[in-house]
């Protein structure tokens, strides 16, 4: 029988959401997302998404210093700030830097701090930092 280890984990990724064609964003950024869909695409349950999504840079290399994971996620995007801002203006989309830690109450908690490079990137691109924290028993 498989028993999941009760260890902390975390993943991070960058997400663009709105009404746009993900293939155009891929072409503009010259980066391939790990996941994307159009607003007209269907979910597995048959309903329509209603918004487009372009997710990039998923980092699952757990580091108690989550800023290290965030930096790995945005490293390829930092030199493309001008293009990201063109995308934001052209398609009226929102950017998110997603941080998804899963912590166990008996283990040390990860830090959720950022460094100035992350703050600078988020400021220049108007990226929201979204933390979805899962605390396990």
């Amino acid at each position: 029988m498989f028993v999941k280890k009760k260890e902390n984990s975390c993943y991070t990724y960058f997400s663009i959401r709105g009404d746009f064609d993900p293939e155009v964003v891929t072409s503009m950024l010259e980066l391939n997302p790990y996941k994307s869909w159009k607003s007209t695409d269907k979910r597995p349950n048959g309903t329509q998404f209603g918004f487009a999504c372009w997710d990039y840079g998923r980092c699952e290399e757990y580091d108690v210093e989550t800023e290290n994971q965030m930096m790995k996620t945005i490293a390829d995007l930092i030199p493309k700030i001008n293009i990201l801002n063109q995308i934001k203006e052209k398609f009226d989309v929102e950017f998110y830097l997603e941080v998804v830690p899963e912590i166990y109450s008996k283990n040390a908690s990860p830090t959720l701090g950022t460094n100035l490079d992350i703050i600078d990137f988020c400021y220049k691109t108007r990226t929201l930092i979204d933390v979805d924290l899962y605390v396990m028993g």
Side-chain angles (χ1 to χ4, degrees):
M1 181 168 126
F2 176 76
V3 177
K4 184 179 177 187
K5 292 182 181 180
K6 293 184 176 183
E7 296 179 3
N8 295 341
S9 64
C10 184
Y11 62 91
T12 60
Y13 63 97
F14 178 81
S15 186
I16 301 174
R17 297 180 201 146
D19 188 15
F20 63 98
D21 184 342
E23 292 174 15
V24 172
V25 168
T26 298
S27 176
M28 289 176 74
L29 288 171
E30 298 179 330
L31 295 171
N32 291 313
Y34 77 87
K35 176 174 67 173
S36 67
W37 64 76
K38 295 178 181 178
S39 60
T40 56
D41 288 348
K42 303 249 186 224
R43 292 182 176 94
N45 68 6
T47 63
Q48 189 172 315
F49 277 105
F51 66 95
C53 183
W54 188 92
D55 291 346
Y56 181 81
R58 185 175 171 122
C59 178
E60 296 185 34
E61 298 169 25
Y62 176 69
D63 191 319
V64 71
E65 303 284 339
T66 54
E67 70 184 54
N68 295 331
Q69 287 183 263
M70 288 187 260
M71 283 303 298
K72 287 178 183 177
T73 290
I74 65 172
D76 294 337
L77 298 166
I78 290 173
K80 299 180 183 278
I81 287 174
N82 289 337
I83 299 168
L84 287 167
N85 286 330
Q86 290 171 16
I87 290 167
K88 184 177 269 298
E89 185 176 320
K90 183 174 183 176
F91 301 113
D92 190 31
V93 294
E94 292 189 355
F95 298 152
Y96 296 91
L97 179 54
E98 298 285 348
V99 182
V100 187
E102 180 179 285
I103 61 170
Y104 288 83
S105 58
K106 294 184 182 190
N107 293 344
S109 299
T111 64
L112 293 175
T114 61
N115 61 37
L116 291 176
D117 291 330
I118 295 166
I119 292 169
D120 190 49
F121 171 82
C122 290
Y123 173 76
K124 288 179 178 175
T125 59
R126 309 309 291 164
T127 296
L128 300 167
I129 298 175
D130 182 33
V131 179
D132 294 335
L133 176 64
Y134 295 92
V135 180
M136 314 304 278

